[in-house]
Amino acid sequence: MTQLFLPLCVACLALVFTSAAPPPTTQTAEVAIPDRCDGIEFDAITPDEQGKQLFFKDGFLWKGFRGPAQRVAESFSGIGHVDAAFRMHREDRTEDHDHVYLFQDEMVFRYFNQTLQDGFPKKVEQEFPGVPCHLDAAVECPKGECSADSVLFFKGSEVHHYDVATQTVKKKEWPEVPPCTSVLRWMEHYYCFQGNNFTRFHPVTGLVVGAYPKDARAYFMTCPNFGHGSGDHKLPLCSEVKLDAITSDDAGKTYFFTGPSYMRLDTSRDGKHAFPVTRMWPEVAGGVDAVFSYQDKMYFIKGDQVFIYLSGAHYSLIEGYPKTLQEELGVQGPVDAAFACPGDHTAHIIQGDQMKDVDLSATPRTVTKATTLRHAKVDSALCGPDGLKLFVGSSYYEYTATSELGAGQVERMPSPITPSMMACRRD
Ligand SMILES: *[C@@H]1O[C@H](CO)[C@@H](O)[C@H](O)[C@H]1NC(C)=O
Ligand SMILES: *[C@@H]1O[C@H](CO)[C@@H](O)[C@H](O)[C@H]1NC(C)=O
C-alpha cells in the first residue's frame, strides 16, 4: 500500500506548494477495483470455513471463482492487505479446525465466521514457532496428503513444512516449484500461483508433473476470451443434465460421469467442478456407459469392455484389463447402468428394462436373476446406505431396496436433479 499512496502524497504536496488555490477538501485516495481477468497477481488464496475460495489482492477480495471484488474490510475486520492465508485443517482440535489465518507483515490474524478471534493479531513466531514473517504464501496440507496435518509456508525459494501437532518445521527447497505468490489447495491438489500463472505441485515431494505454468484465467475464474480449462466450465442447465454413470466407493468418494467429464459429489467444501475422466482414469477415454464399485475396486463398463481399477489415493488399472463384458461379468453389452450395494456381492446390470444380477463372489460369473423393471430406460444408478437412486434424464427415482424395482411395484414420483446435488444451473 505504501507504494500506492506515496506518489499520491507527493502529488498532493506539489499541488499545495505550487498553487495558490486551497487544497482539495474531500480528496480520498481511491484505488481502482481490480479486475481479475486483467491477469493480476493474487496476494493470497484460501478457502473459508464454508469452502468458498477467497482470492486477495491489495485491499480487495473475491469470494469464489465468479463475481466481482469487494473490500477485504467488509468481511475481515482489522486487516487491509494480506500477504498469505490458509485455512487450518485439524480435526483433533475443534478450537483450531477450519479457522482462517491471514498474514500481514510480522503479524497473523485468525478468524472464524469472519470474526477476529481473541488474542489476535499476534506475531507470526508466537503462533507458528520457527516460521518466518513477511510470508509469500501458505496452504493447509491435511493428513493423508501430507504425512501429518501440516501447513506449507512459502517465502522466496524456501518452503517451510510445519507440523501443526508437534509445531516442528522442516525447511525444503523445491527447484521445480517457482516462487509462489499464493497457493491454492483445491480438490486435494496443490497449485502454486505466480503472477497470473499457476503450477501444480506435489505437497510432499515438490515434484511438478505435466505442462506448466498455465494461465489461471482459463481455469480458476470466468474470463471472457479465455477457454474453459479442466477446473472450470460452463454449467449445464439442471434440466439438461444426463448422467452416464454414478458410483460411490468404500471411502465415500462419490463420482458422476457425463460425456468426457467426471465430478466429485462428496467434496462440496471445495465446490463442485468437472474434470476430464482421463485425468483420473487415463485408459477410459471418451466417456463411459456404467460404473459401479465393489470392495476396493471400481468397474468401468464401456461398450463390451470392462476396466477394473484398484481404488486408493489414486486409481490404477488392474493388469490384464480391459476384458470383455462376457468374460468378466457373463453378460453381453451394451449396458445402460450398473450398481452394487455396499456390503453386497451382487452387481446389478441394467440394459433397457432388464436388470441382471451377477454374483461377484462366484467364478465364472453368471446371471443369477433377471428382473423386468418399471423403467424402460435408466441412465445411471447409485446404491448407498441411504437407499437406491435411478437416474433418468434430469430426474431421479428413489427406492429403499432392489426388490422395489420390478414392473409390478408401486410407481414412484420423480425428483428433479438440483444445483445442490451437482454443479448445474436452474432454468
Ligand atoms: C456467523 O456470524 C453471523 C453474523 O455475524 C451469525 O448470524 C451466525 O450465527 C454466525 N454463525 C456461526 C456458525 O457462528
Ligand atoms: C506465465 O507463463 C507464460 C507461459 O509460460 C510466460 O510467458 C509468462 O511470462 C508467465 N507470466 C508470469 C507472470 O510468470
Side-chain angles (χ1 to χ4, degrees):
M1 291 308 273
T2 357
Q3 282 154 331
L4 277 169
F5 280 116
L6 201 59
L8 283 173
C9 293
V10 172
C12 283
L13 286 176
L15 194 72
V16 172
F17 287 124
T18 57
S19 157
T25 45
T26 55
Q27 189 82 344
T28 50
E30 196 60 48
V31 180
I33 297 176
D35 180 347
R36 55 180 157 176
C37 291
D38 285 346
I40 58 170
E41 175 175 298
F42 295 108
D43 296 332
I45 308 173
T46 182
D48 66 9
E49 57 282 334
Q50 265 130 39
K52 190 154 265 208
Q53 295 288 347
L54 309 177
F55 294 81
F56 294 88
K57 172 68 177 173
D58 297 333
F60 291 92
L61 165 64
W62 290 263
K63 291 185 174 178
F65 297 119
R66 285 161 231 273
Q70 51 182 261
R71 285 181 190 281
V72 171
E74 285 173 36
S75 300
F76 296 97
S77 59
I79 195 162
H81 86 93
V82 173
D83 298 331
F86 78 94
R87 180 183 67 181
M88 178 66 88
H89 186 94
R90 230 191 135 172
E91 281 168 350
D92 61 333
R93 265 173 77 101
T94 44
E95 63 267 44
D96 293 344
H97 186 56
D98 274 355
H99 284 55
V100 172
Y101 291 75
L102 304 183
F103 295 83
Q104 184 182 61
D105 304 329
E106 296 87 28
M107 307 303 280
V108 54
F109 296 65
R110 187 169 95 161
Y111 297 86
F112 190 72
N113 194 17
Q114 304 187 352
T115 306
L116 185 62
Q117 303 282 287
D118 285 348
F120 288 88
K122 279 184 192 175
K123 292 246 187 229
V124 173
E125 64 196 23
Q126 267 179 287
E127 186 70 8
F128 302 106
V131 172
C133 56
H134 293 279
L135 288 163
D136 292 329
V139 68
E140 67 180 304
C141 185
K143 185 170 184 274
E145 293 163 41
C146 282
S147 57
D149 283 340
S150 309
V151 184
L152 308 180
F153 292 102
F154 296 77
K155 181 165 178 160
S157 62
E158 288 177 354
V159 184
H160 301 260
H161 197 124
Y162 182 84
D163 182 316
V164 296
T166 61
Q167 301 197 321
T168 49
V169 187
K170 283 198 195 108
K171 209 154 82 176
K172 300 182 180 182
E173 299 247 358
W174 285 338
E176 293 187 14
V177 182
C180 311
T181 54
S182 53
V183 175
L184 166 67
R185 171 182 174 270
W186 186 61
M187 307 286 281
E188 297 167 12
H189 292 308
Y190 293 76
Y191 302 92
C192 164
F193 278 61
Q194 193 195 29
N196 58 287
N197 290 335
F198 68 90
T199 298
R200 186 175 141 199
F201 65 95
H202 191 283
V204 175
T205 60
L207 294 179
V208 172
V209 179
Y212 291 99
K214 291 182 176 159
D215 193 316
R217 288 173 290 182
Y219 292 84
F220 292 107
M221 48 211 75
T222 311
C223 295
N225 307 323
F226 280 89
H228 293 286
S230 58
D232 199 354
H233 73 148
K234 276 261 183 294
L235 294 179
L237 289 172
C238 293
S239 63
E240 290 173 359
V241 167
K242 180 181 171 300
L243 303 186
D244 293 333
I246 184 163
T247 192
S248 192
D249 73 5
D250 277 4
K253 292 180 182 171
T254 304
Y255 299 93
F256 80 74
F257 301 83
T258 176
S261 307
Y262 80 89
M263 194 178 284
R264 271 280 285 282
L265 294 185
D266 56 300
T267 49
S268 54
R269 279 175 91 222
D270 296 329
K272 299 191 177 80
H273 299 273
F275 296 99
V277 174
T278 47
R279 171 167 164 169
M280 198 76 98
W281 302 278
E283 295 83 5
V284 193
V288 294
D289 297 334
V291 181
F292 67 91
S293 301
Y294 173 60
Q295 294 176 341
D296 57 351
K297 299 183 186 72
M298 271 171 84
Y299 291 63
F300 287 72
I301 301 175
K302 185 178 169 61
D304 64 354
Q305 290 191 309
V306 184
F307 297 72
I308 305 183
Y309 286 84
L310 210 51
S311 301
H314 301 283
Y315 294 87
S316 48
L317 184 65
I318 294 178
E319 216 183 305
Y321 287 88
K323 290 186 180 172
T324 65
L325 256 176
Q326 183 64 48
E327 187 183 356
E328 183 63 34
L329 296 171
V331 296
Q332 299 278 349
V335 167
D336 292 325
F339 67 93
C341 295
D344 191 12
H345 298 297
T346 308
H348 304 272
I349 311 288
I350 300 177
Q351 302 178 291
D353 66 352
Q354 295 296 307
M355 181 170 80
K356 291 172 179 161
D357 292 359
V358 176
D359 184 351
L360 295 171
S361 64
T363 327
R365 307 283 160 74
T366 46
V367 174
T368 55
K369 186 178 168 192
T371 310
T372 299
L373 301 176
R374 299 200 56 260
H375 302 278
K377 178 92 170 76
V378 174
D379 291 326
S380 54
L382 179 68
C383 185
D386 55 348
L388 188 57
K389 288 191 180 76
L390 298 190
F391 292 83
V392 180
S394 61
S395 303
Y396 65 95
Y397 297 81
E398 283 188 281
Y399 297 91
T400 52
T402 51
S403 59
E404 297 172 355
L405 300 178
Q409 300 293 319
V410 185
E411 188 166 332
R412 300 294 157 110
M413 290 299 290
S415 308
I417 289 172
T418 61
S420 66
M421 296 173 68
M422 54 199 61
C424 59
R425 42 193 178 101
R426 286 187 199 283
D427 297 37

